[in-house]
Amino acid sequence: MIKNYLKIAWRSLARNKMYSLINITGLTVGIACCILIILYVKDELSYDRYNQHYNETYRVVQAFRSAKNVKDLPPPAPEEYQVWGCAPLAPALKADFPEVDKIAQFTSPNTFLLQYRDKHFQENGIVFADSSMFDIFSWKMIYGDKTTALKGVNSIVLTKSVAEKYFGKSNPVGQMIKVDDGNSLMVTGEMEDIPSNSHFTFNGMISMSTFRQMRSEIFNWWGYVDFYTYFTVSAHTDINAMQAKTAAFVQRHNPAGADHSYAIAFEPLKNAYLHSTAKRQPGVTGSLSNVYIFSLVAIFILFIACINFINLSTARSMERAKEIGVRKAVGAHQEGLMFQYLTESVLIAFLATLLGVALAICLLPVVREMAGKPLPLTALLSWKMLLAFLLAPVLVGIPAGIYPAWVLARFKPALVLKGKFHSSGKGIQLRQGLVVFQFSLSIALIACTAIVFSQLNHLRSHDLGFRQDQMLVIDYGGDGNINKNIEAVKAILARNPAVTSITASRAVPGDFLPDATTVIEAPNGDKSSFDPGIYEIDADFLPAYEVKMAAGRAYSKSFSTDSEQAIIINEAAAKMYGYANPADVIGKSFDQWGRKGTVIGVTKDFNYQSLHNKVEPLTIRMAQFYSFNKLSLRVRSEHLSGTIAELQDTWATIAPNRPFLYSFMDKSFNEQYQKDVRFGQIFMTFGFLTIFIACLGLFGLATYSTEKRLKEIGVRKILGASVTNIVTLLSGDFVKLVLIAIIIATPLAWWGMNKWLNDFAYRIAIQWWIFGVAGLMAVAIALLTVGVLALKAATGNPVKSLRAE
């Protein structure tokens, strides 16, 4: 019987080519989209799972707050914690918590010029790290012994991609590599590159003992933060019980003093990428809401494709009514008939699955580019995915076909064979309801896509409070030789007529900034201590970036005391220290990092960080020459490529061993929103694919509806109906359904996008016209889809449709 069912199913598909094509195409696109979204979501959920001790690994997050009476402070909120911490924390935890098995620390990334023979490159992402890093994280060593590689002073482990730039495919262990034209490090290991699904990455690790030799004093400072602390616990450890002992731990070590509140918490490694709200992350973080959104989109796409199948199958049930009547008359049972038509449904789903997998493979490179993820093809070959492919025809075919099969199997043979069987009103209402559901989703996706891109445009066009256009930034990694002659270097570069201004600084907007414990005299005369961010700049920085002053003055070379006895803060910092009027803080005393003096100016708040965050308190001070890392040159827009070439030639004479690495501020600053841009691109792509599938179903349903009304159209034309009257008649029913869909989709899209926009400190207000435009687009799409068929029917010869009457 199964063989017979398959044969009949195949004949039915071949006989109704257009409807079969619509069903298979819709399911194919739906399944392909599902596969691609599953790969994306699977990658997002896979972060750090490559680690053998994934479930037993935690990291320390710390909250550091100021108050006159720390007992009056409530417990820190999750967003008040930061992952960045201090060096003495690790040995103290190891000593005080027997539950801690292995513990390791690494610093924030550094930039070094590495040189081996005639090869030299400026390498970013070099960290100082404990040798126990290999005990916590499951990284594969290609060459060298991971148990000893980071124990010795002046030793370095390179990742494969970096090592091959200097040593090719050969074993680099034992080779000496020069650092910043000074000390040499011995390569003690080459490891595989950090997996892309890791919440932090680096290009090399220098032994922590090297850092300890360079700056031994900071390893006893509880107030110096530049370390990330990770540890593993023994099996069956109660982490909550450990957490309960942290208050006593902090009090015992008393790192901050009586006027500070210091708290630590333990965050599971599994929360680091998608669930952490802590600041100062060591790498990128993901968005759990995006995972949910794309998962829902995958479900909706497949659901819409199944709706097409249900709609077309139930609509065409009248054509198969006589077949059912004959089968029942000769003894077929309802269960057997249902099984027969479910077999047909599963066959369609099987063909769609094969084509869907092939389409997904073809589109995978495009999705990789949009998502910025490797998404390996081998992920499709895992046993879970292969099992899903095998089960997909059943899991998709049976739910999609169960209702049409049930409808067909319940036909009364006597009525059918006498020609008295007609479509039920309930069936028509169901099809209309499903069309409304389809277009509700489609309209919501159109509106959401418009809101996403409006927000991205807002991020790009928002007034940041500083001028970023035509600003060329040279990253020279804090080269000591350049810093010793920084004013001469600036003067040489400024000779280029295309350079209109030039400044040196430790960081530029968009960069990672340190915090600095800063004491400023409060309005009542007390000393207030907080930890705002810190910019270290030269006297030309604020004018070059056109940062405006709210009160006081900017730095000036005319005041010799500015370099040691002055500080500038932003408006947010002034408010934090209790000054609603920025002018009132001018002249107040400060104490920061061994420097004392007075506040000479307050800048207007400028967005030195991503617009995901509000402008945070910031201090700006004159840097010592050894603190500079970057040069910022404002250049004329004319002949830009020629200007860059000239600057590169000049740089080769200034620093022949230092590569000319440059970027433009506007481009590099906007890279902070790359994740949002990718989200928008992916969302738009799958949104329009959803609309495409919905239109396929609408086209099929409209085609069938038009065919059933050909005789009615013929009569109307003979009685004088115009083409416009007939097109309006045939299109009107579907347009009404789309209008209902607009009413349903609008509040849903508004609610969802309002939630998404809450992740931005600077967000657009959702405008009503976005939903109006989305609705008009949906109506236009529906009219185009249905109108073509209606126009064809309206302009046809009525004699042909009435010939049988």
Side-chain angles (χ1 to χ4, degrees):
M1 289 300 294
I2 294 177
K3 182 179 179 181
N4 178 258
Y5 289 161
L6 289 172
K7 185 184 295 184
I8 294 171
W10 182 257
R11 287 174 179 172
S12 177
L13 292 178
R15 186 169 57 251
N16 301 282
K17 292 182 177 61
M18 188 187 73
Y19 297 111
S20 300
L21 181 63
I22 289 174
N23 273 332
I24 293 174
T25 302
L27 284 174
T28 295
V29 175
I31 290 171
C33 290
C34 276
I35 291 171
L36 295 171
I37 291 175
I38 287 171
L39 289 179
Y40 175 86
V41 170
K42 184 180 177 183
D43 184 83
E44 287 288 282
L45 298 176
S46 72
Y47 269 69
D48 302 307
R49 289 181 180 272
Y50 66 88
N51 289 297
Q52 181 182 350
H53 304 293
Y54 173 76
N55 292 314
E56 293 81 41
T57 302
Y58 295 81
R59 64 180 182 178
V60 183
V61 293
Q62 301 165 70
F64 190 75
R65 301 177 296 170
S66 300
K68 281 188 176 181
N69 188 353
V70 296
K71 294 180 181 179
D72 296 336
L73 288 173
E79 58 272 13
E80 292 184 81
Y81 285 96
Q82 64 179 32
V83 191
W84 224 15
C86 50
L89 179 66
L93 282 174
K94 182 66 174 173
D96 290 14
F97 288 87
E99 300 93 336
V100 174
D101 184 18
K102 302 290 184 181
I103 193 164
Q105 290 183 315
F106 61 95
T107 66
S108 51
N110 296 273
T111 299
F112 294 107
L113 180 70
L114 301 185
Q115 183 173 354
Y116 176 73
R117 296 178 181 171
D118 60 340
K119 299 177 181 178
H120 56 272
F121 301 95
Q122 183 168 301
E123 301 292 355
N124 299 315
I126 305 294
V127 302
F128 293 95
D130 288 326
S131 59
S132 51
M133 289 283 283
F134 289 103
D135 296 325
I136 296 176
F137 300 101
S138 303
W139 299 322
K140 182 181 177 182
M141 189 74 85
I142 301 172
Y143 298 109
D145 183 354
K146 65 181 180 181
T147 60
T148 60
L150 286 175
K151 286 191 173 179
V153 177
N154 294 329
S155 59
I156 184 171
V157 174
L158 299 175
T159 58
K160 180 181 178 181
S161 57
V162 173
E164 288 184 351
K165 289 197 293 186
Y166 301 92
F167 309 103
K169 302 289 185 180
S170 61
N171 184 350
V173 173
Q175 300 291 338
M176 301 301 293
I177 194 164
K178 207 172 192 179
V179 180
D180 286 345
D181 295 327
N183 295 331
S184 293
L185 300 175
M186 177 182 286
V187 179
T188 53
E190 179 184 332
M191 59 181 285
E192 291 283 359
D193 290 342
I194 303 297
S196 61
N197 59 343
S198 175
H199 76 281
F200 68 89
T201 60
F202 53 79
N203 293 317
M205 292 187 291
I206 302 174
S207 62
M208 190 66 79
S209 57
T210 307
F211 195 28
R212 187 181 292 271
Q213 188 179 72
M214 294 164 56
R215 300 194 62 186
S216 59
E217 71 280 1
I218 65 174
F219 287 84
N220 296 315
W221 291 355
W222 286 84
Y224 183 91
V225 289
D226 190 28
F227 296 83
Y228 298 101
T229 305
Y230 288 73
F231 64 91
T232 58
V233 296
S234 52
H236 311 298
T237 296
D238 186 349
I239 198 67
N240 293 321
M242 281 185 65
Q243 181 64 55
K245 295 187 286 185
T246 57
F249 170 83
V250 170
Q251 187 175 10
R252 184 162 55 250
H253 293 278
N254 192 25
D259 61 341
H260 287 79
S261 169
Y262 184 85
I264 66 172
F266 304 132
E267 186 173 67
L269 179 63
K270 60 186 178 183
N271 288 355
Y273 180 69
L274 284 176
H275 302 275
S276 180
T277 58
K279 299 176 182 176
R280 300 290 185 175
Q281 295 285 346
V284 297
T285 55
S287 170
L288 190 62
S289 62
N290 287 359
V291 170
Y292 288 142
I293 288 171
F294 285 127
S295 298
L296 286 174
V297 168
I299 294 170
F300 288 158
I301 287 176
L302 194 57
F303 195 33
I304 287 175
C306 291
I307 286 174
N308 286 349
F309 184 91
I310 294 170
N311 269 345
L312 287 177
S313 297
T314 53
R316 293 182 56 248
S317 59
M318 285 297 296
E319 294 182 8
R320 307 192 68 169
K322 290 185 179 180
E323 175 191 345
I324 300 299
V326 171
R327 286 182 177 276
K328 281 195 168 186
V330 297
H333 296 287
Q334 182 170 317
E335 295 79 8
L337 291 170
M338 286 189 65
F339 187 77
Q340 175 191 336
Y341 292 109
L342 284 176
T343 302
E344 183 176 322
S345 177
V346 169
L347 178 61
I348 291 175
F350 174 75
L351 294 173
T353 301
L354 292 178
L355 294 172
V357 172
L359 181 60
I361 292 172
C362 294
L363 294 177
L364 193 56
V366 179
V367 177
R368 282 186 190 132
E369 182 69 24
M370 284 194 298
K373 291 177 174 290
L375 301 179
L377 186 61
T378 53
L380 294 176
L381 303 179
S382 67
W383 70 268
K384 291 182 180 179
M385 291 297 288
L386 292 175
L387 181 62
F389 295 153
L390 291 174
L391 294 177
V394 176
L395 296 177
V396 174
I398 291 180
I402 190 71
Y403 179 75
W406 180 74
V407 170
L408 289 167
R410 289 181 69 248
F411 284 169
K412 303 296 183 183
L415 294 176
V416 169
L417 295 175
K418 290 179 180 179
K420 297 181 179 180
F421 185 83
H422 302 284
S423 298
S424 69
K426 291 182 179 179
I428 295 172
Q429 291 172 2
L430 173 67
R431 291 193 292 276
Q432 290 176 339
L434 292 176
V435 170
V436 169
F437 179 81
Q438 281 183 311
F439 270 87
S440 295
L441 291 180
S442 300
I443 293 164
L445 287 171
I446 293 173
C448 291
T449 300
I451 291 169
V452 167
F453 278 92
S454 295
Q455 175 63 19
L456 293 177
N457 185 60
H458 175 69
L459 295 179
R460 295 188 186 100
S461 59
H462 182 79
D463 182 8
L464 299 173
F466 67 92
R467 186 181 169 194
Q468 61 174 336
D469 62 296
Q470 300 305 126
M471 185 64 84
L472 184 146
V473 179
I474 302 174
D475 181 357
Y476 62 92
D479 187 287
N481 293 326
I482 295 175
N483 279 342
K484 289 176 185 176
N485 303 285
I486 192 65
E487 291 301 326
V489 170
K490 287 169 58 180
I492 293 171
L493 292 171
R495 291 173 191 166
N496 190 307
V499 176
T500 60
S501 62
I502 184 170
T503 178
S505 59
R506 178 176 178 174
V508 296
D511 284 351
F512 190 82
L513 295 179
D515 293 333
T517 300
T518 307
V519 178
I520 293 180
E521 183 182 350
N524 61 4
D526 292 341
K527 301 295 184 182
S528 293
S529 178
F530 291 97
D531 298 278
I534 179 172
Y535 258 115
E536 294 184 275
I537 64 172
D538 67 7
D540 299 316
F541 185 89
L542 296 178
Y545 276 93
E546 299 184 10
V547 176
K548 295 179 175 61
M549 301 300 295
R553 64 175 179 84
Y555 289 118
S556 171
K557 294 176 183 178
S558 302
F559 295 87
S560 59
T561 55
D562 280 3
S563 61
E564 292 289 343
Q565 302 173 27
I567 196 172
I568 293 173
I569 62 177
N570 67 352
E571 290 176 302
K575 290 176 184 176
M576 182 176 67
Y577 284 99
Y579 295 93
N581 181 6
D584 294 340
V585 75
I586 304 301
K588 299 298 182 180
S589 63
F590 81 91
D591 185 346
Q592 181 193 70
W593 281 4
R595 187 178 294 184
K596 297 181 180 181
T598 58
V599 178
I600 65 166
V602 179
T603 68
K604 287 186 174 294
D605 284 339
F606 63 98
N607 295 98
Y608 60 94
Q609 293 178 324
S610 161
L611 293 175
H612 281 277
N613 310 308
K614 292 182 178 179
V615 177
E616 295 184 356
L618 179 69
T619 61
I620 306 168
R621 77 178 197 169
M622 292 278 282
Q624 298 290 344
F625 73 89
Y626 51 76
S627 297
F628 294 124
N629 282 313
K630 296 184 176 181
L631 289 164
S632 300
L633 294 73
R634 188 170 303 283
V635 296
R636 302 184 191 279
S637 58
E638 300 85 7
H639 313 295
L640 191 56
S641 58
T643 299
I644 293 173
E646 291 171 4
L647 290 172
Q648 187 169 7
D649 291 339
T650 305
W651 187 259
T653 63
I654 296 172
N657 291 327
R658 179 68 65 169
F660 182 71
L661 302 178
Y662 73 92
S663 62
F664 281 95
M665 169 56 61
D666 52 357
K667 182 179 179 181
S668 58
F669 192 84
N670 286 331
E671 284 178 357
Q672 297 178 104
Y673 313 120
Q674 193 62 40
K675 183 171 67 174
D676 302 304
V677 171
R678 286 171 175 159
F679 170 79
Q681 290 174 338
I682 296 171
F683 193 87
M684 179 182 69
T685 301
F686 287 115
F688 279 106
L689 285 173
T690 304
I691 296 166
F692 169 74
I693 296 171
C695 287
L696 271 180
L698 186 64
F699 180 81
L701 206 57
T703 301
Y704 179 78
S705 176
T706 303
E707 288 176 352
K708 299 299 291 182
R709 300 180 71 173
L710 284 177
K711 288 184 174 61
E712 175 190 347
I713 293 168
V715 171
R716 287 180 180 275
K717 289 192 70 175
I718 289 174
L719 295 177
S722 66
V723 172
T724 303
N725 295 144
I726 294 173
V727 170
T728 302
L729 173 71
L730 295 176
S731 304
D733 292 339
F734 291 104
V735 172
K736 289 175 185 176
L737 299 180
V738 175
L739 293 175
I740 296 171
I742 294 172
I743 296 172
I744 296 172
T746 298
L748 292 176
W750 183 90
W751 178 83
M753 282 294 98
N754 198 51
K755 288 280 187 182
W756 182 74
L757 287 170
N758 285 338
D759 287 340
F760 297 88
Y762 300 88
R763 48 163 286 181
I764 61 169
I766 300 178
Q767 303 293 329
W768 66 267
W769 60 262
I770 291 178
F771 301 102
V773 171
L776 287 174
M777 285 182 64
V779 170
I781 291 169
L783 283 174
L784 185 63
T785 305
V786 178
V788 171
L789 296 171
L791 186 62
K792 181 180 178 182
T795 55
N797 187 349
V799 175
K800 292 183 179 179
S801 59
L802 296 174
R803 186 175 295 165
E805 294 295 326

